[in-house]
Amino acid sequence: MKNIRNFCIIAHIDHGKSTLADRLLDFTGSVTDREKQDQLLDNMDLERERGITIKSHAIQMEYVHNGEPYILNLIDTPGHVDFSYEVSRSIVACEGALLIVDAAQSIQAQTISNLYLALENDLEIIPVLNKIDLPSASPEEVTDDIVDLLGCDASEVIPASAKTGLGIQDILDAIIDRIPAPKGNVDEPLQALIFDSVYNPFRGVETYFRVLNGKITKGQNIKFIATGKNYFADEIGTLKLKQFPRKEIKAGDVGYVITGIKEAKEVKVGDTITDAKNPTTNAIEGFEDVKPMVFAGIYPVDTEDYEELRASMEKLQLNDASLVFLPESSAALGFGFRCGFLGMLHLEIIQERLEREFDMTVITTVPNVSYHAFTNKNPDEVVIVNNPSDLPEPSTLNRVEEPYIKATIITKSDFVGNVMSLCIEKRGQITNQTYLTTERVELSFDMPLAEIVFDFYDRLKTVSKGYASFDYAPIGLRASKLVRVDILLNAQTVDALSALVHADNAYTIGKKMTEKLKELIPRQQFDIPVQAAIGAKIIARETIKALRKDVTAKCYGGDISRKRKLLEKQKKGKKRMRQVGNVEIPQQAFMAVLKLND
């Protein structure tokens, strides 16, 4: 066990985590020339197309150091704030972390928040200064930043370049010398932590685990503590590029187990695996439950696909434990699910994965956050509002509380004014401003979560010319003046387009929404009024004009009463049509509400 090292790689987006993982795999000879490709561990099409890591990926390498063979278990993690739950799970399964900082971009917001996650779990941190071969790199300054942040010695920072392979030998030596070997006892009852799982259509659920105590052997009768169910370990093994079956995996090591589980619900990430005959008495303190930040409804395009969508969501939840969903129904869209996501990118990725991996075409409603409402009848009882239609009537409402976050933004000092005006426009209050260097500033704001859900991140990148990095953490609920803006099409409320907004912005948002919908909803045979309303009060209106046939075309010359008769007849038909007609809303209309500023 003293020759095993478990470590993960943490960094901000685009600081070179996946490329460094490639170099480590090359250097230790874990991949053949045939298997080599860039971002080798990012095995999802979506990850390759967007150039981001979405899932954390575990892989085992073998390396000989000073004549002794070592086993290195590496977990490559995502850098985007929306996938921080993946990072927190990988950290629990490790003893050390490589903290990678880009020599050209220096320390960013996500670097700091991932670092705190690692320090909370007492991980040994190895700072790596990456991309020192870039012409724009300033290694001395960034090394000083790292020393200030970690309180370490400048000699402990390893300069490297994942592209050219510079410094890889030093990193591997540091992993072996600085990261402690796993602690654990092989003779105790089996105790293993599930940190990830994937659904394989041919073999059922593959569960990835880290053994803390005891050992797991092929064919052993094992038990999952949270669900209390027993299984046989049909196959166990280690994760290299392909899966390598083994007879047994001992304490300190990472591996996978296939038990032939077909039901996705039976595997919970963070659960403990133990021996069925001789179970361990204490379950491992897993990770805290995930807190979804953004809620949206996901509905099948065809209501008959509801059960199929449920099965797809369960399989997807296995692979992405931060997805939370509950059944709900909507008058406009039928049966579907209310889903919780960690952010807008997460929502986009889930929607894309449902379409690609499970061939499910879905409609997503306007995302929103979860509010707490209190009524006059009993002001102490909380009504949780996940959906705008759950908000009590304005006449009975006492107050509404909305979730606030503490936002940390690191940017260049030139853009401080732009960033501040954006945050103040989004109802933010500045709480702190620190100059990290003369060039870089850290700004702290208290902001309503609802304001950053839609387009905040994109606009922040625009006003700072791409130089701002952003991270946030929830700080609780605060009372706020919120109203529900309903959209009426042809005098019918469309519940899927309702939104909860701050009273001061209600009029502008209502106006923008009606204008946007006027462009997007196709014209019908009759006039369609598009209205925005708060309760019974209409605050904005647009009209989508009717398509009409020129019924008077065949009368050239002739009496006006003849033309009038034909037009009256057409008008009656249109009126009747408007009473029975219903308006189809295209999917873009639901998503357009998010892009009101475009």
Side-chain angles (χ1 to χ4, degrees):
M1 202 164 82
K2 67 181 197 325
N3 287 9
I4 296 176
R5 298 287 182 273
N6 299 316
F7 68 100
C8 59
I9 300 184
I10 54 178
H12 190 75
I13 314 161
D14 278 347
H15 280 206
K17 295 177 294 300
S18 301
T19 314
L20 184 77
D22 292 350
R23 288 298 83 74
L24 291 172
L25 293 171
D26 291 350
F27 196 88
T28 55
S30 306
V31 286
T32 60
D33 286 343
R34 266 188 68 189
E35 294 166 327
K36 267 186 201 172
Q37 54 171 333
D38 286 346
Q39 275 82 39
L40 186 69
L41 294 179
D42 291 351
N43 48 13
M44 219 187 291
D45 297 344
L46 211 54
E47 291 180 313
R48 299 193 153 278
E49 282 167 28
R50 289 173 176 245
I52 56 175
T53 305
I54 294 169
K55 288 284 303 158
S56 48
H57 301 278
I59 191 161
Q60 190 175 79
M61 305 178 282
E62 286 163 9
Y63 178 61
V64 178
H65 175 67
N66 295 344
E68 268 197 74
Y70 283 86
I71 288 176
L72 309 176
N73 289 312
L74 150 73
I75 302 178
D76 178 25
T77 64
H80 198 284
V81 61
D82 279 17
F83 305 115
S84 55
Y85 188 60
E86 289 285 327
V87 182
S88 73
R89 296 193 342 239
S90 328
I91 284 176
V92 176
C94 296
E95 276 85 30
L98 293 181
L99 179 76
I100 296 179
V101 179
D102 184 328
Q105 294 182 42
S106 188
I107 291 162
Q108 304 282 340
Q110 198 57 33
T111 319
I112 296 176
S113 75
N114 282 344
L115 170 70
Y116 287 156
L117 266 178
L119 289 173
E120 275 170 29
N121 286 286
D122 297 331
L123 263 62
E124 179 63 40
I125 309 284
I126 299 177
V128 176
L129 185 62
N130 195 13
K131 305 193 185 182
I132 57 166
D133 58 319
L134 288 181
S136 58
S138 44
E140 292 83 13
E141 282 176 35
V142 181
T143 305
D144 293 344
D145 290 351
I146 297 175
V147 170
D148 289 348
L149 179 69
L150 285 176
C152 62
D153 204 62
S155 60
E156 291 175 31
V157 180
I158 303 171
S161 162
K163 197 159 86 185
T164 60
L166 180 78
I168 299 298
Q169 170 86 55
D170 300 341
I171 293 175
L172 282 165
D173 293 347
I175 289 168
I176 288 166
D177 297 337
R178 294 197 219 165
I179 294 179
K183 299 180 182 66
N185 187 342
V186 181
D187 304 323
E188 280 187 23
L190 169 67
Q191 191 189 28
L193 172 78
I194 299 176
F195 66 88
D196 206 354
S197 53
V198 220
Y199 186 80
N200 179 331
F202 305 108
R203 312 185 66 181
V205 178
E206 297 172 0
T207 310
Y208 298 164
F209 61 85
R210 150 84 199 267
V211 185
L212 295 188
N213 287 312
K215 60 181 182 194
I216 182 168
T217 51
K218 184 177 160 72
Q220 182 177 353
N221 191 357
I222 56 171
K223 177 182 177 181
F224 287 12
I225 290 185
T227 55
K229 297 199 171 179
N230 292 10
Y231 307 98
F232 282 100
D234 299 335
E235 181 183 309
I236 59 166
T238 48
L239 297 151
K240 297 203 172 172
L241 256 193
K242 298 184 179 64
Q243 294 172 335
F244 274 82
R246 290 277 167 90
K247 286 277 186 291
E248 67 173 16
I249 294 177
K250 294 183 179 171
D253 216 344
V254 174
Y256 71 92
V257 58
I258 295 174
T259 51
I261 300 175
K262 290 284 184 284
E263 277 293 310
K265 290 194 287 284
E266 293 177 25
V267 179
K268 288 196 169 39
V269 166
D271 194 0
T272 308
I273 305 177
T274 187
D275 186 31
K277 297 190 187 71
N278 177 16
T280 176
T281 45
N282 49 346
I284 302 163
E285 287 297 311
F287 344 97
E288 73 283 5
D289 274 346
V290 57
K291 294 186 191 69
M293 292 288 190
V294 179
F295 295 87
I298 287 189
Y299 293 86
V301 172
D302 190 344
T303 336
E304 289 159 13
D305 298 340
Y306 174 70
E307 283 305 325
E308 204 176 318
L309 178 62
R310 179 196 291 274
S312 307
M313 299 275 275
E314 282 175 358
K315 288 172 189 170
L316 196 54
Q317 192 178 30
L318 256 190
N319 201 290
D320 182 347
S322 47
L323 169 68
V324 183
F325 62 92
L326 292 166
E328 75 161 2
S329 63
S330 141
L333 300 169
F335 289 106
F337 296 97
R338 184 99 204 132
C339 305
F341 305 95
L342 296 179
M344 288 301 289
L345 178 69
H346 190 204
L347 180 149
E348 217 176 292
I349 297 288
I350 292 285
Q351 193 179 346
E352 191 112 352
R353 285 183 72 183
L354 279 170
E355 288 186 8
R356 288 188 185 203
E357 294 171 30
F358 302 100
D359 289 332
M360 295 295 312
T361 14
V362 292
I363 292 176
T364 314
T365 65
V366 181
N368 61 359
V369 300
S370 185
Y371 299 95
H372 286 186
F374 299 87
T375 54
N376 289 325
K377 198 173 168 188
N378 34 4
D380 298 332
E381 191 187 323
V382 180
V383 179
I384 293 178
V385 182
N386 280 335
N387 201 335
S389 56
D390 301 341
L391 190 73
E393 280 305 307
S395 53
T396 62
L397 200 59
N398 181 330
R399 66 184 192 282
V400 181
E401 292 183 352
E402 64 175 329
Y404 263 68
I405 54 152
K406 183 181 172 54
T408 309
I409 297 169
I410 295 181
T411 183
K412 281 190 153 183
S413 45
D414 316 357
F415 304 117
V416 171
N418 300 354
V419 172
M420 275 192 182
S421 52
L422 170 67
C423 292
I424 290 162
E425 179 197 326
K426 296 282 190 185
R427 297 194 283 134
Q429 293 151 356
I430 186 157
T431 54
N432 198 356
Q433 178 178 358
T434 334
Y435 276 79
L436 301 171
T437 64
T438 48
E439 281 295 296
R440 297 173 63 245
V441 190
E442 180 180 4
L443 300 166
S444 297
F445 286 91
D446 286 355
M447 292 175 77
L449 176 63
E451 294 288 342
I452 66 157
V453 166
F454 296 153
D455 56 352
F456 179 77
Y457 197 64
D458 299 344
R459 294 211 22 223
L460 178 67
K461 285 285 184 226
T462 314
V463 298
S464 66
K465 300 192 178 162
Y467 278 110
S469 63
F470 168 68
D471 184 45
Y472 61 84
I475 53 171
L477 296 152
R478 297 185 186 178
S480 188
K481 196 178 168 199
L482 295 170
V483 290
R484 183 174 84 216
V485 175
D486 290 318
I487 297 292
L488 291 88
L489 280 184
N490 201 8
Q492 303 283 323
T493 308
V494 182
D495 57 354
L497 285 174
S498 299
L500 284 176
V501 295
H502 195 264
D504 300 348
N505 309 340
Y507 177 73
T508 22
I509 286 181
K511 186 147 183 53
K512 279 183 179 172
M513 278 167 92
T514 51
E515 284 167 0
K516 200 87 173 180
L517 289 169
K518 182 185 177 183
E519 292 166 27
L520 287 167
I521 292 175
R523 289 167 69 190
Q524 311 278 330
Q525 293 288 335
F526 51 93
D527 277 3
I528 307 168
V530 182
Q531 295 163 311
I534 298 174
K537 184 184 171 196
I538 304 289
I539 56 169
R541 168 181 168 139
E542 294 286 334
T543 309
I544 301 171
K545 284 293 178 201
L547 290 166
R548 43 170 290 206
K549 185 179 168 192
D550 188 0
V551 284
T552 59
K554 61 178 186 283
C555 315
Y556 44 92
D559 190 32
I560 185 69
S561 59
R562 172 89 183 116
K563 290 182 181 170
R564 173 81 59 240
K565 187 178 161 193
L566 289 168
L567 288 168
E568 288 296 327
K569 190 176 169 191
Q570 184 188 33
K571 194 168 159 190
K572 267 187 197 149
K574 294 273 185 221
K575 194 173 172 187
R576 194 165 60 246
M577 208 184 264
R578 180 169 159 187
Q579 282 163 356
V580 296
N582 65 350
V583 185
E584 289 285 312
I585 306 170
Q587 165 73 19
Q588 304 99 286
F590 289 110
M591 296 318 280
V593 183
L594 311 184
K595 303 196 173 71
L596 289 175
N597 285 320
D598 293 2

